[in-house]
């Protein structure tokens, strides 16, 4: 599980130094990766994870609209 987090951190750091910015698309990829990681680890509570992700997505969209 730490491998996923390390990979995400390396990709964001690499992009920042190459392009001097971090795109919103990479944060979406991190969110999708986090969702898949949660589904793999806590597969007994799939509905709860999907509800949690839906709430997180709606909060994210609200923040982006502000």
């Amino acid at each position: 599980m730490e491998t996923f987090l390390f990979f995400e951190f390396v990709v964001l750091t690499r992009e920042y130094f190459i392009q001097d910015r971090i795109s919103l698309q990479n944060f979406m990829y991190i969110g999708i990766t986090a969702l898949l990681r949660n589904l793999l680890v806590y597969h007994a509570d799939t509905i709860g994870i999907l509800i949690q992700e839906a709430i997180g997505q709606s909060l994210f969209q609200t923040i982006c609209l502000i």
Side-chain angles (χ1 to χ4, degrees), residues 25-48:
Q25 186 177 15
N26 280 343
F27 286 111
M28 295 299 290
Y29 291 148
I30 289 172
I32 292 169
T33 304
L35 173 65
L36 292 175
R37 183 175 59 236
N38 279 339
L39 287 173
L40 289 173
V41 173
Y42 305 113
H43 56 274
D45 189 24
T46 305
I47 299 298

Side-chain angles (χ1 to χ4, degrees), residues 9 17 40 45 50-51 55-57 64-65:
F9 177 74
F17 284 118
L40 289 173
D45 189 24
L50 291 175
I51 291 170
I55 292 169
Q57 182 66 24
C64 287
L65 290 176

